[in-house]
Amino acid sequence: MYLLKISKRKRSKIINDNDQFYESFFTDDDIVKYECDVRNVWRFNVMEKLLSDTFPGGEKVLVDVGCGLGFSCRYMPENYSYKGIEFSETTLSSAKNTHSNVKNTEFIQGGFPTLPLESEVADFVICTEVIEHIEDDDRAIEELFRILKPGGFLWITVPSTYYWSDYYRLIGHYRHYTGDKFTKSLVEHGLKINKRIPQYNDFWRIYHYAWIVMQVYERLHKKIINKNYLVLKTSWYGKYKRNILNKLEKKYCSGTADLSSTSIVAKKEYKN
């Protein structure tokens, strides 16, 4: 727990100021880390496959709610246009600057409880690791349902309950979920479960602790040697990342449905 607090020490200082917390959630230093970290690369690979398999043709609209630095727009198939919605002005500005060369991409400031979009505009909505930050998550799911077209799909992920409760406050979470509880909530809001994405929590938990150690090492390196050092840009991490991605791809292709998963693809059915 002590290492976890060290890794989140800047956030813990401003947790009582919600706006400031999210304005400082990402910095320019996070752009390289966000793009290179194997956890994000794996998530983007899964997203790209979901989008391609769900709507392989025809012009489609992808909405990314809580898009953060917006890297999802670089992984969408060519038949999609992208709308990224982000609460933080600072993060939104970074996303616009980083992806200014990506076609059919728009970034919009906004968030829950009312998203800045008309009803039934999205063919596919992504909302990954967002609604645990929202006090009224039922209202958030209602909004996601509202912006989906009938026949559209939602890929939504939330953290499952394996962190210490004291850690929630450090990362701005109101709650974590179980697969059963999360599934029930989605169904109660009119969504039909289409697919459960394997999460490999045991593996990522181990990686998370390794990541914290890497963060601490980078800070010590800068403090002692007075020179920036990015583990994620090293050749050994690149090789390590490729090995992880290959193993996960094999597991993903041969895996079975995990009822405990809190990474779910759900469909908005057509009205009768």
Side-chain angles (χ1 to χ4, degrees), residues 104-171:
N104 300 320
T105 295
E106 178 183 10
F107 290 99
I108 307 166
Q109 186 182 11
F112 298 113
T114 305
L115 298 175
L117 292 174
E118 297 181 0
S119 299
E120 300 184 355
V121 297
D123 297 286
F124 205 111
V125 173
I126 298 171
C127 188
T128 58
E129 309 297 303
V130 174
I131 68 168
E132 67 273 12
H133 295 271
I134 307 301
E135 187 170 6
D136 188 350
D137 57 344
D138 283 323
R139 179 74 179 92
I141 296 173
E142 288 175 6
E143 272 296 278
L144 296 172
F145 183 88
R146 179 184 68 80
I147 66 173
L148 262 180
K149 294 178 182 178
F153 290 82
L154 165 69
W155 180 31
I156 184 167
T157 74
V158 293
S160 53
T161 53
Y162 66 83
Y163 288 107
W164 291 288
S165 58
D166 289 345
Y167 188 49
Y168 292 10
R169 183 173 180 274
L170 291 174
I171 51 180

Side-chain angles (χ1 to χ4, degrees), residues 86-228:
E86 173 55 42
F87 173 78
S88 163
E89 289 185 16
T90 304
T91 302
L92 193 72
S93 177
S94 294
K96 288 179 178 179
N97 292 334
T98 302
H99 310 294
S100 59
N101 63 335
V102 181
K103 295 180 180 179
N104 300 320
T105 295
E106 178 183 10
F107 290 99
I108 307 166
Q109 186 182 11
F112 298 113
T114 305
L115 298 175
L117 292 174
E118 297 181 0
S119 299
E120 300 184 355
V121 297
D123 297 286
F124 205 111
V125 173
I126 298 171
C127 188
T128 58
E129 309 297 303
V130 174
I131 68 168
E132 67 273 12
H133 295 271
I134 307 301
E135 187 170 6
D136 188 350
D137 57 344
D138 283 323
R139 179 74 179 92
I141 296 173
E142 288 175 6
E143 272 296 278
L144 296 172
F145 183 88
R146 179 184 68 80
I147 66 173
L148 262 180
K149 294 178 182 178
F153 290 82
L154 165 69
W155 180 31
I156 184 167
T157 74
V158 293
S160 53
T161 53
Y162 66 83
Y163 288 107
W164 291 288
S165 58
D166 289 345
Y167 188 49
Y168 292 10
R169 183 173 180 274
L170 291 174
I171 51 180
H173 292 187
Y174 284 97
R175 73 200 69 78
H176 285 182
Y177 299 77
T178 63
D180 288 343
K181 182 178 179 180
F182 191 47
T183 297
K184 182 179 179 182
S185 183
L186 294 175
V187 171
E188 286 177 347
H189 287 85
L191 291 160
K192 181 179 179 181
I193 306 303
N194 177 261
K195 186 175 184 178
R196 301 176 193 276
I197 308 298
Q199 290 179 292
Y200 313 120
N201 283 335
D202 289 340
F203 172 78
W204 291 122
R205 186 185 298 113
I206 295 171
Y207 178 86
H208 182 66
Y209 292 125
W211 166 254
I212 293 170
V213 173
M214 286 188 279
Q215 294 263 283
V216 172
Y217 178 80
E218 286 180 356
R219 290 167 182 168
L220 288 174
H221 189 279
K222 184 175 183 180
K223 184 176 182 179
I224 297 172
I225 303 179
N226 196 29
K227 185 178 180 181
N228 288 330

Side-chain angles (χ1 to χ4, degrees), residues 27 38 56-57 83 100 120 135 142 148 159 209-210 227 230 237 239 262 270-271:
T27 67
V38 67
K83 297 181 185 294
S100 59
E120 300 184 355
E135 187 170 6
E142 288 175 6
L148 262 180
Y209 292 125
K227 185 178 180 181
L230 285 176
Y237 183 84
K239 182 178 180 181
T262 54
Y270 289 96
K271 299 175 182 177

Side-chain angles (χ1 to χ4, degrees), residues 1-10 12 170 212 215-216 219:
M1 187 65 190
Y2 179 70
L3 285 176
L4 295 175
K5 287 183 177 180
I6 289 176
S7 71
K8 305 298 181 183
R9 70 187 190 281
K10 290 183 180 178
S12 64
L170 291 174
I212 293 170
Q215 294 263 283
V216 172
R219 290 167 182 168

